[in-house]
RNA sequence: GGUGGCGUGUCCGAGCGGCCGAAGGAGCGCGCCUCGAAAGCGCGUGUUGGGGAAACCUAACCGUGGGUUCAAAUCCCACCGCCACCGCCA
């Protein structure tokens, strides 16, 4: 949610921001207009209500004829107040609704354009040259089968396409990744959290996922629960309707949870393997901080993501995501894309967004210092999304005999430095 | 799922139709006292929206949403949450 005061002062900037996202800039004028209506209705109601309050009080103090006259007057006024209140309420709902339709202000530093207009910030590491090494890289599906680590056939049998089983070393690899991730997050001041993955509409709405992103969310209609697509949702909503002490910020949480995504409109995309699945586990970093610290915090989170990828010894690049591909809440977003040998390209494995005050305002989270209460900023970033990281590790660290070398950082968690084929 | 109880300010806790934004206490802040502190004493101490340069004015807020009434923390209804006991259960 955008701050109306800021919006009123800078409608043109907001319009530009909307346009850059490929969204409707006229919505800005509409927001201001509905808010004008809201305020007018508010004033009207308040004036009548004040009068009613005064008369009500004098009713109590009077008696006899005087009292019945006042009572008559009070009754008529009561009707007028009810009407004015109804109009006020309608105007408030409409104004809020319109305002909620606006996406976050875009950071002016974010590249403008569509999905393809991202800017590459850096490339780290060098992809292996398998030809030169004298063998052809197998993809993760094949390796997963050989190692007894991933079973997509049975995933499909039991749950349908885009489901899978992690088995044996595949399952062990998840535990190792999670343990390593949580350990690093602890070191960086994150409180580990295992959140609920079923949430109420308010949490979804507040984090900004019920707009254009809604089609990718599983909804349990019977009970009006949503299955979260990321633990960002329950982590952000953790402090919903709270006022946090400014001197305790930043508050950092690392959430480990399953994530559920409908992947609507992705038919035919990434149909093979576990790059794009309906359910996966993820360790997510989430930070509540002062708005003036948000940009620096964003860079810190990005650095922690890079640290993780460096520890996995995987070549990757970092991109500055373009305005049209930010999602409603983010002002700026960096993706880390790992090199996937069998695809010959970089694929998103982690992502960090600076949501500035947008989510916090929707979730009614503020901070308090000696001068009063103020807006707070929220940021999120993936530490590790299990399936894609497994893909990256298997494919990048495979050997000619289909064994896979384990990055040093994970070896102590796995008790081995290599995954070996299980049969044939 | 069933039965009973409860939900008030930072916290404890009173109020059960108008004089209640709400007693009292604790906490916190300022001052007095003191060499200094503790104790004691005095004063102050909510949030949000609207208007205003400001002083200030105004409205709303006693779990949430409706209703009754000229008037609701207070009465009625529904929902949510918490506690206790019972049933079921990983």
């Amino acid at each position: 949610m955008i701050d109306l005061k800021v919006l009123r002062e800078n409608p043109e900037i907001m319009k530009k921001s909307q346009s850059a996202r490929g969204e409707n800039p006229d919505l800005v004028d509409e927001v201001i207009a509905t808010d004008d209506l809201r305020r007018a209705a508010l004033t009207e109601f308040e004036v009548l209500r004040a009068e009613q309050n005064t008369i009500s009080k004098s009713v109590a103090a009077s008696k006899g004829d005087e009292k019945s006259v006042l009572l008559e007057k009070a009754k008529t006024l009561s009707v007028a107040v009810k009407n004015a209140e109804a109009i006020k309420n309608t105007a408030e709902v409409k104004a809020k609704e319109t305002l909620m339709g606006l996406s976050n202000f875009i950071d002016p530093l974010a590249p403008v354009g569509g999905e393809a207009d991202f800017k590459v910030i850096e490339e780290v590491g060098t992809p292996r040259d398998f030809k030169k090494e004298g063998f052809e890289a197998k993809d993760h599906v094949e390796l997963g089968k050989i190692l007894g680590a991933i079973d997509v056939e049975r995933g499909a049998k039991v749950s349908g396409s885009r489901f899978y089983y992690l088995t044996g070393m595949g399952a062990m690899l998840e535990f190792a990744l999670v343990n390593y991730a949580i350990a690093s997050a602890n070191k960086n001041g994150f409180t580990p959290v295992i959140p609920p993955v079923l949430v109420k509409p308010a949490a979804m709405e507040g984090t900004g996922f019920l707009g254009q992103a809604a089609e990718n969310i599983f909804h349990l209609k019977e009970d009006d629960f949503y299955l979260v697509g990321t633990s960002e949702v329950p982590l952000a909503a953790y402090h919903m309707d709270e006022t946090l002490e400014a001197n305790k910020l930043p508050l950092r949480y690392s959430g480990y949870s399953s994530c559920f995504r409908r992947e609507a409109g992705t038919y035919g995309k990434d149909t093979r393997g576990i790059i794009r699945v309906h359910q996966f586990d993820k360790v997510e970093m989430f930070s509540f901080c002062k708005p003036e610290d948000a940009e620096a915090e964003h860079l810190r989170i990005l650095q922690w993501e890079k640290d993780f990828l460096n520890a996995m010894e995987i070549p990757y690049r970092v991109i500055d995501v373009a305005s049209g591909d930010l999602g409603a809440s983010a002002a700026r977003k960096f993706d880390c894309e790992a090199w996937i040998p069998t695809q010959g390209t970089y694929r998103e494995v982690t992502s960090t967004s600076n949501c500035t005050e947008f989510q916090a305002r929707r979730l009614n989270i503020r901070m308090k210092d000696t001068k009063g209460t103020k807006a707070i900023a929220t940021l999120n970033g993936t530490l590790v999304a299990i399936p894609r990281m497994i893909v990256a590790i298997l494919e990048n660290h495979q050997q000619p005999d289909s064994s896979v070398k384990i990055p040093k950082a994970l070896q102590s968690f796995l008790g081995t430095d290599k995954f070996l084929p299980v049969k044939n």
Side-chain angles (χ1 to χ4, degrees), chain A residues 39-242:
Chain A
R39 291 204 283 189
L42 215 208
T43 307
E44 178 125 11
F45 161 72
E46 280 192 3
V47 167
L48 283 168
R49 185 75 214 221
E51 198 182 334
Q52 188 192 29
N53 283 343
T54 319
I55 291 191
S56 274
K57 266 173 201 159
S58 57
V59 166
S62 66
K63 53 197 175 209
D65 285 351
E66 193 194 350
K67 185 162 189 162
S68 41
V69 170
L70 278 172
L71 259 177
E72 272 316 300
K73 207 168 156 194
K75 275 182 194 169
T76 6
L77 199 52
S78 170
V79 175
V81 168
K82 279 211 170 85
N83 282 336
E85 186 170 20
I87 292 168
K88 181 209 73 172
N89 287 343
T90 312
E92 274 175 354
V93 169
K94 177 85 180 133
K96 178 94 185 269
E97 229 175 65
T98 316
L99 180 60
M100 292 281 266
L102 277 181
S103 292
N104 199 1
F105 270 112
I106 282 179
D107 187 322
L109 295 172
V112 174
E115 192 180 347
D117 296 311
F118 61 83
K119 207 171 102 199
V120 176
I121 294 177
E122 63 176 320
E123 294 189 16
V124 180
T126 315
R128 281 166 66 186
D129 185 340
F130 286 92
K131 261 202 184 97
K132 209 163 163 189
E133 292 186 37
F135 73 106
E136 197 166 328
K138 297 186 177 71
D139 82 355
H140 68 278
V141 177
E142 206 172 334
L143 287 166
K145 202 185 272 182
I146 292 169
L147 299 168
I150 306 169
D151 191 334
V152 288
E153 280 102 350
R154 290 196 174 92
K157 175 178 75 179
V158 174
S159 299
S161 66
R162 298 204 191 288
F163 285 93
Y164 58 99
Y165 284 78
L166 292 181
T167 56
M169 289 319 269
M172 293 307 286
L173 186 49
E174 160 149 355
F175 294 136
L177 285 166
V178 170
N179 280 322
Y180 178 72
I182 293 291
S184 344
N186 282 348
K187 218 168 44 199
N188 297 326
F190 287 83
T191 304
V193 175
I194 298 172
V197 293
L198 288 177
V199 300
K200 297 194 281 187
M204 260 317 166
E205 174 98 86
T207 38
F209 283 99
L210 288 190
Q212 308 98 304
E215 62 169 14
N216 267 311
I217 310 289
F218 284 107
H219 182 217
L220 306 188
K221 210 172 162 195
E222 285 283 301
D223 305 281
D224 204 12
F225 276 128
Y226 289 92
L227 272 165
V228 302
T230 160
S231 51
E232 171 191 345
V233 174
L235 290 177
Y238 185 62
H239 286 302
M240 179 161 65
D241 294 323
E242 292 180 25

Side-chain angles (χ1 to χ4, degrees), chain A residues 17 30 61 76 80 92 102 107 137 167-168 189 201 222 226 228 252 255 285 296 300 307 335 364 378 413 424:
Chain A
S17 174
E30 205 182 313
T76 6
E92 274 175 354
L102 277 181
D107 187 322
T167 56
E222 285 283 301
Y226 289 92
V228 302
R252 298 190 181 121
M285 297 177 276
R300 274 191 288 270
D307 290 347
D335 283 356
N364 190 27
T378 63
F413 292 99
N424 323 351

Side-chain angles (χ1 to χ4, degrees), chain A residues 239-401:
Chain A
H239 286 302
M240 179 161 65
D241 294 323
E242 292 180 25
T243 303
L244 309 174
E245 298 281 346
N247 59 22
K248 296 211 174 112
L249 301 174
L251 282 176
R252 298 190 181 121
Y253 300 99
S254 53
Y256 168 54
S257 84
S258 292
C259 306
F260 303 90
R261 300 186 178 182
R262 293 187 65 229
E263 296 299 344
T266 59
Y267 305 108
K269 220 181 193 178
D270 300 314
T271 49
R272 183 174 163 81
I274 59 170
I275 290 262
R276 189 177 297 278
V277 292
H278 287 308
Q279 177 189 337
F280 61 98
D281 294 333
K282 179 158 71 76
V283 177
E284 179 83 359
M285 297 177 276
F286 198 90
S287 177
F288 297 88
C289 75
K290 297 178 190 170
E292 60 267 33
D293 297 339
E295 208 173 317
E297 184 76 353
H298 197 195
L299 293 176
R300 274 191 288 270
I301 292 174
L302 176 60
Q303 185 57 51
W304 291 323
E305 291 186 354
K306 286 164 60 182
D307 290 347
F308 195 94
L309 284 162
N310 290 337
M312 295 305 111
E313 301 167 32
I314 286 165
Y316 64 93
R317 69 178 184 186
V318 181
I319 67 167
D320 199 344
V321 174
S323 55
D325 200 26
L326 283 175
S329 299
R332 200 174 189 200
K333 174 148 106 182
F334 302 116
D335 283 356
C336 293
E337 301 183 322
W339 176 257
I340 306 299
T342 60
Q343 296 194 2
T345 183
Y346 291 97
R347 298 297 308 268
E348 176 186 342
V349 284
T350 61
S351 173
T352 175
S353 298
N354 180 0
C355 296
T356 60
E357 298 150 37
F358 186 80
Q359 282 181 334
R361 238 188 221 102
R362 292 174 149 237
L363 291 164
N364 190 27
I365 304 170
R366 287 164 302 163
M367 64 176 190
K368 186 178 175 179
D369 60 17
T370 47
K371 288 184 214 103
T373 57
K374 276 182 277 188
I376 199 168
T378 63
L379 301 101
N380 63 77
T382 324
L383 233 197
V384 56
I386 301 300
R388 288 194 182 182
M389 194 58 69
I390 289 180
V391 170
I393 288 173
L394 295 190
E395 294 205 12
N396 279 290
H397 296 320
Q398 63 180 298
Q399 304 302 309
D401 63 355

